Amino acid sequence: MNSRFRPRKRPDPAVLDNHRPLLRSLERRGLIRGGLSLGALTMLTGCDVTRPASVEAALLAISRLNDGAQAWLFDPNKLAPTYPASMVLKPPKFNAYYDVTDVKPVNGTDWRLDLSGLIADKRPWTLPQINALPQRTEIIKHICVEGWDYIGQWTGVPLRTFLERVGADLHAKYVAFKTADDYPSSIDMATALHPQTLLATRYADDTLADPFGYPLRLRMSTKLGYKNPKWITAIEVTNTYPGGYWEKLGFPWFAGV
């Protein structure tokens, strides 16, 4: 690993418990928007709504259905709104499952991007090689699952361009990411090929700062913030569902906005 992050332990069950109210709130809002009441939920699932564990299991089942529905409705050619440079937040807002004081810089000179899975050319990439690829700049909104957002200006190589360059199977189902802070994540191939999905190396015309993902992070216009991993160290193209950090704790996988 090329990071200098402090060794971290996975969250204990209390961390998940702290996020369960947010998960329940998100799913219940989804049910309300869809016109599905707890009474209807009982009829559909046979769950006892007086038992929190039963309701939570049903909500997670609905979440998985929502993932499939969102994927089916996703338009790979529709662009998200963009904004003027005057609205860009400088610096961007830090977000992670730990405090910013736990971030230690990644050595960009030694850093390599490893490739695996359904990719023809699996040779690792260096930062200068990535910077030599055609670049694109997007001024888009970052939307956090916790309810806040900001406008950011991101520059990098379109993920589609990179996948094409390394001979990835563009008909595969998933693109998965490993990171220096042990935050695995994955996205569907349609989102990976979206024109506004970037492997970002710069923010607001400056090199990406250490707390925000240097030397390489994913930046998408069509997903919630927790789907955008920072400090990427490896990319895999696969047909096997890879999951992700928060998804293993019960959060939706597709997470489209």
Side-chain angles (χ1 to χ4, degrees):
M1 182 179 294
N2 296 319
S3 72
R4 296 180 184 174
F5 282 80
R6 298 174 187 171
R8 302 196 56 82
K9 295 180 179 180
R10 288 290 185 179
D12 60 31
V15 173
L16 177 55
D17 290 339
N18 289 338
H19 287 87
R20 287 190 194 281
L22 175 59
L23 178 59
R24 294 193 191 104
S25 176
L26 288 170
E27 296 303 334
R28 285 194 173 103
R29 286 201 295 269
L31 293 176
I32 291 171
R33 285 195 298 269
L36 184 60
S37 66
L38 284 178
L41 184 64
T42 303
M43 294 177 63
L44 286 174
T45 65
C47 72
D48 179 358
V49 296
T50 64
R51 298 174 58 192
S54 179
V55 173
E56 183 170 309
L59 290 175
L60 290 174
I62 294 296
S63 176
R64 289 190 288 271
L65 289 174
N66 285 343
D67 279 342
Q70 288 185 57
W72 183 75
L73 292 170
F74 178 70
D75 184 346
N77 299 309
K78 183 178 180 180
L79 299 180
T82 57
Y83 303 86
S86 60
M87 297 181 66
V88 173
L89 180 67
K90 302 176 185 178
K93 186 176 175 66
F94 176 81
N95 65 308
Y97 64 93
Y98 48 83
D99 190 77
V100 66
T101 58
D102 283 336
V103 175
K104 295 298 179 182
V106 171
N107 185 335
T109 302
D110 296 337
W111 175 88
R112 298 292 184 272
L113 179 65
D114 294 323
L115 304 178
S116 63
L118 303 175
I119 294 175
D121 186 350
K122 296 184 176 67
R123 288 176 294 181
W125 281 64
T126 66
L127 187 57
Q129 288 175 313
I130 289 176
N131 286 333
L133 293 175
Q135 306 286 300
R136 176 170 177 154
T137 296
E138 296 285 350
I139 302 179
I140 51 179
K141 182 176 289 187
H142 176 108
I143 301 175
C144 181
V145 70
E146 295 175 344
W148 51 264
D149 60 63
Y150 70 87
I151 306 299
Q153 178 179 330
W154 306 91
T155 300
V157 57
L159 181 52
R160 179 176 193 136
T161 299
F162 182 79
L163 293 175
E164 290 175 341
R165 183 64 62 92
V166 298
D169 180 358
L170 303 186
H171 297 289
K173 294 181 179 179
Y174 308 107
V175 179
F177 304 88
K178 293 182 180 179
T179 68
D181 67 334
D182 195 22
Y183 183 92
S185 189
S186 61
I187 60 175
D188 56 295
M189 181 59 76
T191 299
L193 302 181
H194 189 272
Q196 292 172 314
T197 298
L198 303 178
L199 291 175
T201 57
R202 299 179 65 81
Y203 183 85
D205 294 327
D206 288 325
T207 299
L208 200 60
D210 291 328
F212 309 111
Y214 176 85
L216 189 71
R217 68 165 295 166
L218 186 65
R219 193 63 196 97
M220 299 175 285
S221 66
T222 58
K223 300 284 190 184
L224 290 171
Y226 70 85
K227 296 297 295 185
N228 291 260
K230 300 180 282 291
W231 309 288
I232 294 172
T233 59
I235 294 177
E236 178 186 14
V237 176
T238 179
N239 284 317
T240 302
Y241 173 69
Y245 179 87
W246 285 113
E247 290 83 349
K248 290 181 180 178
L249 298 179
F251 277 65
W253 176 77
F254 195 84
V257 295

